[in-house]
Amino acid sequence: MNLLYRSLCLTFLSAISLVAQDAPSEGDIALQQKDWAKAEQFFHEAITKNSRDGRSWFQLGIAFEGEQKYHDASAAFDHAIQENEQTARALFHKAIAQVQLRDVDSAFATLNELNKQGFMNLNALKSDPRLEPLRSDSRWQRVVEITYANANPCEHTPENRQFDFWIGEWDVQTTTGQPAGTSKIERIVNGCALLENWSGGGPGKSLNSYNTVRKQWQQFWVDSGGEVHEYAGNLVDGEMQFEGPAADHQGNKTLRRMVFHRLDGGRVKQTGFTSPDGKEWTVEYELIYIPKSL
């Protein structure tokens, strides 16, 4: 057998093996068909052969749940959790089993542990009818609040809220009161970014977000002429300061700096600077954002 032929055979056999692994087992099919007893038998035999088979423990828990054997289901989900198998789903189903056993305190303890794991499925938490007995309990609202915070981390992170003073719909003027344009700044992607929609001398947009890895704010700007600027910066003494390299369509490069800070009456001032070398800066423009409601 030559080397190429052998390699092709091994590749083919590996592909067959992967397909076999991905194919649903008899137990999986039984669960899909809600044949709980057959699924229980299949997965019970699987864990008898391998007690560390976390997936079979989890599937066995689902079968027990379908049979309303909630003590057994809770124990099976515990084994799945010990084997790090679908931990969040196992905790969620364990809480359901505990509710059916009327062990409300344990159910809340399990949901609290689930939230510590970063559980984010607020819809499942609020809509699953099997959790209904918990919803009149004073502890329920706290569980919901933590799950919401997990699903929307940027809503509750102070750094992500630093630039909120720029949010709004604005008429934009120069410092001498001349119209410069309009802008709408809105929160998007669950509060993890601000989208700037600029109109004035041609439309433009920017995406602004706090980068938790770099520990700084970033802005990516593009206008209708295809000019692109990238900035990075931070909130310093109440001012949002951005800086970055830029170039026009002729390839002329420069450094740019933008500073945003609050003014009285809910207004915001944006000052733009340019520098050829980052040593000396020249004011390029000054804009005043006036809330449209005023």
Side-chain angles (χ1 to χ4, degrees):
M1 180 184 293
N2 64 47
L3 184 61
L4 177 60
Y5 181 75
R6 181 181 180 186
S7 176
L8 290 172
C9 287
L10 288 173
T11 301
F12 179 70
L13 290 172
S14 296
I16 291 176
S17 176
L18 287 173
V19 170
Q21 290 176 14
D22 293 338
S25 68
E26 291 182 15
D28 296 324
I29 294 171
L31 286 181
Q32 293 171 6
Q33 297 175 343
K34 298 185 178 181
D35 188 344
W36 309 121
K38 184 176 180 180
E40 177 192 342
Q41 180 180 357
F42 180 90
F43 291 112
H44 188 272
E45 290 175 358
I47 62 170
T48 300
K49 296 175 183 177
N50 178 11
S51 63
R52 301 295 302 275
D53 184 352
R55 184 178 184 279
S56 289
W57 275 115
F58 179 84
Q59 299 292 70
L60 180 60
I62 296 296
F64 282 141
E65 185 180 281
E67 295 177 290
Q68 300 183 13
K69 297 178 179 179
Y70 296 115
H71 280 292
D72 293 332
S74 180
F77 291 131
D78 274 335
H79 282 287
I81 293 164
Q82 291 170 10
E83 301 302 331
N84 296 312
E85 174 64 34
Q86 302 187 67
T87 303
R89 290 187 66 201
L91 283 167
F92 187 80
H93 282 276
K94 178 183 176 182
I96 288 172
Q98 290 168 327
V99 171
Q100 308 313 307
L101 293 169
R102 299 181 181 176
D103 189 352
V104 171
D105 291 341
S106 293
F108 273 111
T110 299
L111 290 176
N112 289 334
E113 178 60 30
L114 178 61
N115 272 331
K116 289 179 182 178
Q117 301 283 334
F119 182 65
M120 298 187 294
N121 195 338
L122 188 64
N123 181 61
L125 185 71
K126 295 176 73 172
S127 64
D128 196 304
R130 295 169 294 182
L131 296 177
E132 184 60 36
L134 302 183
R135 294 184 179 123
S136 60
D137 192 288
S138 59
R139 293 168 286 185
W140 176 254
Q141 186 57 36
R142 181 58 179 162
V143 170
V144 171
E145 289 172 356
I146 296 174
T147 305
Y148 179 86
N150 288 340
N152 303 275
C154 299
E155 295 277 358
H156 304 275
T157 307
E159 289 80 6
N160 289 97
R161 305 276 61 81
Q162 290 174 338
F163 209 6
D164 279 4
F165 66 85
W166 197 32
I167 295 172
E169 294 191 47
W170 310 92
D171 288 316
V172 186
Q173 301 178 353
T174 66
T175 53
T176 59
Q178 298 300 309
T182 61
S183 190
K184 179 181 179 180
I185 316 299
E186 56 187 322
R187 294 172 69 185
I188 59 173
V189 289
N190 290 359
C192 290
L194 301 183
L195 178 65
E196 174 189 11
N197 303 276
W198 167 262
S199 179
K205 292 184 183 291
S206 74
L207 186 66
N208 305 259
S209 182
Y210 182 76
N211 188 324
T212 57
V213 176
R214 296 176 58 172
K215 304 296 183 185
Q216 62 181 177
W217 277 84
Q218 293 177 274
Q219 182 185 107
F220 183 89
W221 160 270
V222 61
D223 64 25
S224 58
E227 194 165 313
V228 174
H229 299 171
E230 294 185 64
Y231 301 95
N234 276 303
L235 189 71
V236 180
D237 296 329
E239 295 183 338
M240 184 60 70
Q241 301 180 3
F242 286 106
E243 191 173 311
D248 60 24
H249 292 297
Q250 286 71 46
N252 300 312
K253 296 181 180 180
T254 185
L255 293 174
R256 291 180 180 270
R257 177 182 292 167
M258 296 184 298
V259 177
F260 297 81
H261 68 271
R262 298 180 181 89
L263 298 176
D264 58 11
R267 300 174 301 155
V268 173
K269 183 177 181 180
Q270 176 184 353
T271 306
F273 303 85
T274 61
S275 173
D277 53 14
K279 296 178 181 179
E280 295 189 11
W281 293 85
T282 302
V283 175
E284 182 181 21
Y285 61 82
E286 292 180 290
L287 299 174
I288 307 298
Y289 289 74
I290 303 171
K292 279 184 173 288
S293 58
L294 296 182

